[in-house]
Amino acid sequence: MSTHYPDRPRVGVGVVVRHEGRLLLIKRGKPPGVGQWSLPGGSLELGETLFACAEREAMEETGITVRATGVLTAVDNIVRDADGRVAFHYTIVDVLADWVAGEPVAADDALDARWATPAEALELVEWPMLRRVIRMVAEEGAA
């Protein structure tokens, strides 16, 4: 199934990696949101668990080894084109993960990768739904 102009929603996994009061961010290299700061993550593959996807995507996009620990929330990302057609539709499950090893290096479809405090992340991130997720993490003291 194509991710662009899909015939049904896709399941995405966002990885909320916490380490020493900071969150792991990537700059997206692919649509939707190319060039914007986001969480590492990607599409759930057939036969893959949410936690396995989170751990795989963190490694693929940043070189960081993580251990998935729980589900934080789920959000919808529906992007319409100028004619109102659905260009992208993801239901994104945000998975909490603890840092195990490594330093962030942009890889796969990430243009950049870095650690940020929740306050810094709120300055960098544009997408309102992700800003809400970051606030949830900050309010729980989970970063």
Side-chain angles (χ1 to χ4, degrees):
M1 178 176 74
S2 172
T3 60
H4 201 215
Y5 293 101
D7 61 356
R8 63 184 177 273
R10 293 191 58 124
V11 177
V13 176
V15 193
V16 183
V17 182
R18 305 159 297 178
H19 180 54
E20 297 179 344
R22 302 172 298 162
L23 301 171
L24 183 61
L25 297 178
I26 57 106
K27 188 176 278 190
R28 292 187 53 79
K30 292 166 90 174
V34 66
Q36 293 183 20
W37 287 98
S38 186
L39 297 173
S43 292
L44 186 67
E45 295 178 355
L46 185 65
E48 185 177 46
T49 68
L50 291 171
F51 284 17
C53 179
E55 293 169 358
R56 174 182 57 78
E57 287 289 349
M59 175 57 74
E60 286 178 1
E61 292 188 344
T62 70
I64 299 286
T65 302
V66 303
R67 181 178 48 82
T69 60
V71 173
L72 177 64
T73 191
V75 298
D76 291 303
N77 187 9
I78 302 169
V79 179
R80 296 183 183 275
D81 66 14
D83 296 324
R85 291 180 32 210
V86 174
F88 296 95
H89 183 170
Y90 288 92
T91 296
I92 303 167
V93 180
D94 289 311
V95 172
L96 293 167
D98 291 328
W99 174 89
V100 173
E103 288 299 320
V105 177
D108 195 32
D109 57 357
L111 300 175
D112 198 358
R114 63 167 287 186
W115 292 109
T117 66
E120 291 168 335
L122 287 171
E123 291 292 321
L124 293 168
V125 169
E126 298 175 34
W127 187 38
M129 292 304 294
L130 181 51
R131 292 172 57 82
R132 183 178 68 86
V133 170
I134 293 166
R135 283 190 195 96
M136 288 175 67
V137 174
E139 288 168 7
E140 292 178 5

